[in-house]
Amino acid sequence: MSGLVRKVVTVVDEVLLELGRPVATPVRRVAAAAVIRNPWAGRGFVADLQPAVEEVAPELGQLLTGKLIETLGGVDRIEAFGKAAVVGLDGEIEHGGALIHTPYFGNVLREMTEGTSIIVFNDDRLPAGEPLTVPLWHKTAAATRTHYQTVQIRIPDAPRADEIVVIAGASSGPRPNARIGDRRTDPVVRLADLENAAR
């Protein structure tokens, strides 16, 4: 991966008040991003992306997950995770997907954070400076609604047209003052019952 990474950016969002009320659990949300040269840039349509994926993705996974762990203060402080990629305008969305949607990145992020859930994601092709919202959910219980949240990242000079921004995100806890219940305690709701109740 030598020579591919131009810069690394870490964004921390710490929520202390919600509508003026202290949050029950102060939450830190982090996005760690690597701005890299697109390994397929200038090569036209590349049928087999796998060789570059195997070379680049594991190192990116280790680099970015390490930043999450360092910023949040340890693996035990990570409760939710997510991933994302932003491809510059001269690349394909598939280039970003190749780097984050294979085990070479995802399994590294999962293992290093001691997670078991499938990792929620976002990817897009955008000009430099556009924000991207990185979704997060619980690292071991993806259906836990309290941890459905996002962290946003914007890098003013990235991605350049021939670059990709690869992002790992994490949170130290649930949404501020989460209180909408959970799938384990939800009533059974069917469309027919809702239509009958409206009559």
Side-chain angles (χ1 to χ4, degrees), residues 14-88:
E14 189 163 4
V15 182
L16 304 175
L17 295 173
E18 193 78 356
L19 290 178
R21 180 189 183 97
V23 299
T25 305
V27 178
R28 298 182 84 208
R29 295 181 293 220
V30 178
V35 180
I36 70 165
R37 181 175 53 79
N38 184 334
W40 303 284
R43 296 171 55 190
F45 180 83
V46 177
D48 185 4
L49 305 178
Q50 192 72 4
V53 168
E54 292 180 16
E55 179 183 353
V56 175
E59 291 187 44
L60 286 175
Q62 292 176 66
L63 171 68
L64 297 177
T65 307
K67 291 288 184 186
L68 297 179
I69 294 168
E70 176 186 351
T71 304
L72 287 176
V75 172
D76 58 328
R77 297 288 297 139
I78 295 176
E79 293 188 12
F81 59 19
K83 60 186 179 180
V86 187
V87 180

Side-chain angles (χ1 to χ4, degrees), residues 154-172:
R154 175 186 172 273
I155 304 175
D157 67 342
R160 294 172 181 167
D162 63 348
E163 291 181 330
I164 303 173
V165 180
V166 177
I167 307 156
S171 172
S172 65

Side-chain angles (χ1 to χ4, degrees), residues 95-176:
H95 295 161
L99 293 177
I100 67 170
H101 295 321
T102 70
Y104 294 97
F105 184 88
N107 284 5
V108 171
L109 172 58
R110 191 178 295 107
E111 184 174 337
M112 287 181 67
T113 58
E114 299 177 358
T116 56
S117 297
I118 190 169
I119 305 169
V120 66
F121 69 91
N122 189 11
D123 49 32
D124 209 342
R125 180 173 49 224
L126 296 167
E130 290 295 315
L132 188 75
T133 299
V134 184
L136 310 172
W137 64 27
H138 201 287
K139 69 178 186 180
T140 61
T144 303
R145 285 200 195 103
T146 54
H147 287 65
Y148 292 174
Q149 56 194 302
T150 61
V151 60
Q152 191 173 81
I153 187 166
R154 175 186 172 273
I155 304 175
D157 67 342
R160 294 172 181 167
D162 63 348
E163 291 181 330
I164 303 173
V165 180
V166 177
I167 307 156
S171 172
S172 65
R175 282 191 320 279

